[in-house]
Amino acid sequence: MNTLRLQLRFLVPLILTLVAAAYLAVPVMDRLTLRWFARDLSLRGSLVTKTLSDSIAEDLQDSRSVRLQSLFNRVVQDERLVAIGLCSLAGQLLRHSPGYPATLTCQQASDVAQQDNPQLRIEGGPVHVGTYPIIGDSGPLANLVLLQDLSFVERRSQDTQKYLIILIAGLGVIIALITVIVAQLSWRGWVSGARALLRGEGLISPMMSSSPELAPFAAELRVRLRDLEDEYRRSLGPEVNWDPERLRSLLRTQLRGDQLIVVSNREPYIHEQVGDSIVVKRPASGLVTAVEPVMRACSGTWIAHGSGNADALVVDAHDRVMVPPGRDEYTLRRLWLSAEEEQGYYYGFANEGLWPLCHVAHVRPVFRESDWQHYRQVNQRFADAVVAESRSEDPIVLVQDYHFALLPAMIRKRLPRATILTFWHIPWPNPESFGICPWRQEILEGMLGTTILGFHTRFHCKNFMETVDRYLEARIEHEHSTISFHDKNTFVESYPISIEWPTAQTVAGWPAVEQCRRTVFERLGLPADHRLAIGVDRFDYTKGILERLHAVERLLEKHPEWIEHFSFVQVAAPSRGSLEEYRLFQDRIHAVTARINQRFATPNYTPVHLLAEHHEHQALNELYRAADVCVVTSLHDGMNLVCKEFVAARDDERGVLILSRFAGAAREMSQALIVNPYHVEETADALQRALTMPEAEQRERMASLRMTVREFNVYRWAGRMLTDAGHWRLRERIEARVQRLQPELL
Ligand code: GDG
């Protein structure tokens, strides 16, 4: 209907123009043909006169001659010649043929012949009047008047008019038809082009590529799409019901089942040789805790360093093994590192350099040239593995963490069409702090190979953008949260990570809270009415374990009534123990624990239990369920998942969470008791408040915390990132399209 209206808008003026043209052309055509014929007739008249001249001259000598009369009679037998008259020089009609009008005098004939249009209408129809002098030897003798038939001109003129009108009408029809066809095709082309633009398809119908007129439209569309995306993200707000199925359907619909590749240093399953058998261990890692359920939901390939001593025994010829063991839901591709590589890249550059650089924990970063070389080399090896595992030119690659700052640009170089999502699990410092890294520029450039760069909080995003602004020549669009570097855009966004919310089936398999409490208390030798606070961490100086111990000590000082009635259990999973900074820290924790225990212990009472060993997940869950208080006092933490695990474990809605304001989680979990871990007094008071908190208040706070974590679960984290990736892929396709249409617009 729209096309018809459009075409009519074009056709009506066209038809009117053609009618007007015909209306104007016909009289012009008439006049022209008449002039042509008049000229022909004059020539013809001259010819006839010349032929008759001699006979007329002779005849004029002899006034009695009748030859001329009979000559005239013969000549007028020519159907075109109507009549002939011979006039004397004095204007007297001397002779004339039959048919010569009796009323036509020589003078009249001469007057008409002088006119522009020497025409006369006589009885038989219109005639052309011409007068021609007869020249003898002595000069002009007489004038010959020739009346030639003009009715054939009228007939021909009518014919010409008819043909002209038919021609114009025919032309009109042909032009109208061509217009309709071209308009239809163009409209279809534009519509399908626009639809394809909206779908973001790179290979739109061939017609589109020859439609530069769509370029401004596409540019406009691009801007509009961005705004829509921003609106869409804002409108997302709190969402409910993110679960594995929703994530899977997102991959099916928005990402059309594209291949998903995860890269991380730590592997989700470690095979260890214990005696004669091989056991599978789950590492103590927040990253693994978060990403593993996502991979189980989405399948795909996870590339990681094979660090277990039996890892190589269980892989196939391509270093792949299906995991989780026995369930075979996704592929784990192991990459082997030499001892030097691991030392330089992992322990050296990543954990002695970048880790303290990004955490404000007052531990100096160490930067060694050799570590940097290993870091680059290992990043390159992982990039090669990504390319090798990639089944298409545009896989979705999820790069995990600070071990792979250079990887995005390396992948981008080999797979320019890949969608690379990099998630930085730790904080990003301010530009001054980051500036002390000798390879700050290379790191930033490496990270900007990323399509979407995620941090836990807006604050970390802001720090990153300011750092780029300070050290690179890049264009930053704060409004859209994008960085444009070397003609490539990176979208920087906050995606607060989380945990997998336990299903009803999982919860049904857990022992009851009372049972957990009995088991844990028996194991620790605590009386039933004892109060228990716990801390669960990797044994890391950023987690605030020392400050926590000081707070426990201060609590016992300030409130001695808790002696023999309250204990604190710290699970400290071994981590990076080969680094001196960690060893010193761990020694210090052991020493402070011993000191506190010495100070407050009684024969049957140990105030602090330091469990510096790896625990199975189920043992941790038991501990979470047995505790009255969970203490998370990180000095600086990207997010912190322990606090979320504690909340998820408390389906009885009891227990109190004490949470550091310097953990990313504090922004979501405001119903916890929020503390500054550097302020020992404040943390000790929070412990006192937690231990004395009425059950109703515990329930209220816990119920609210549980709602938050259930809603903001890890599937939402991944879902939001993958949704943004889907939108980004759409926009990239459009931009590629726009670039092909009119590069100068970009
Ligand atoms: C980084 C960021 C961010 C602890 N001990 C054992 C054990 N764990 C598990 C916990 C938890 C995980 O380790 C630690 O989580 P965190 O969140 O504290 O993380 P980091 O390892 O420092 O990880 C952090 C995280 O990435 C995710 O983005 O939250 O801010 O620093 O799941 O339960 N697990 C087992 N045995 C233990 O002894 N199995």
Side-chain angles (χ1 to χ4, degrees), residues 630-671:
C630 178
V631 193
V632 175
T633 50
S634 315
L635 303 180
H636 204 187
D637 219 336
M639 174 55 71
N640 191 287
L641 296 181
V642 170
C643 53
K644 297 192 173 183
E645 289 169 351
F646 173 64
V647 164
R650 299 313 297 256
D651 61 331
D652 62 339
E653 298 184 343
R654 300 286 181 77
V656 181
L657 174 66
I658 295 177
L659 178 58
S660 162
R661 67 172 65 246
F662 305 121
R667 289 168 198 253
E668 295 169 77
M669 305 178 81
S670 53
Q671 293 81 10

Side-chain angles (χ1 to χ4, degrees), residues 106-127:
C106 288
Q107 185 57 46
Q108 279 171 336
S110 162
D111 290 347
V112 175
Q114 303 298 314
Q115 288 171 10
D116 266 358
N117 184 13
Q119 241 195 73
L120 199 66
R121 187 163 283 281
I122 60 169
E123 217 171 288
V127 289

Side-chain angles (χ1 to χ4, degrees), residues 40 224 259 279 360 421 439 490 631 656 675 709 741:
D40 274 2
R224 184 69 193 124
Q259 189 191 10
V279 296
V360 182
L421 312 185
W439 299 285
T490 298
V631 193
V656 181
V675 295
V709 179
L741 284 171

Side-chain angles (χ1 to χ4, degrees), residues 536-548:
V536 175
D537 303 89
R538 283 186 303 100
F539 213 154
D540 193 295
Y541 54 78
T542 60
K543 300 293 180 185
I545 300 172
L546 183 63
E547 288 70 14
R548 207 174 298 170

Side-chain angles (χ1 to χ4, degrees), residues 567-588:
S567 291
F568 175 67
V569 171
Q570 175 66 51
V571 169
S575 183
R576 307 168 195 170
S578 66
L579 296 181
E580 194 188 4
E581 197 68 52
Y582 280 76
R583 274 201 310 276
L584 291 174
F585 172 72
Q586 291 167 7
D587 289 348
R588 191 157 176 215

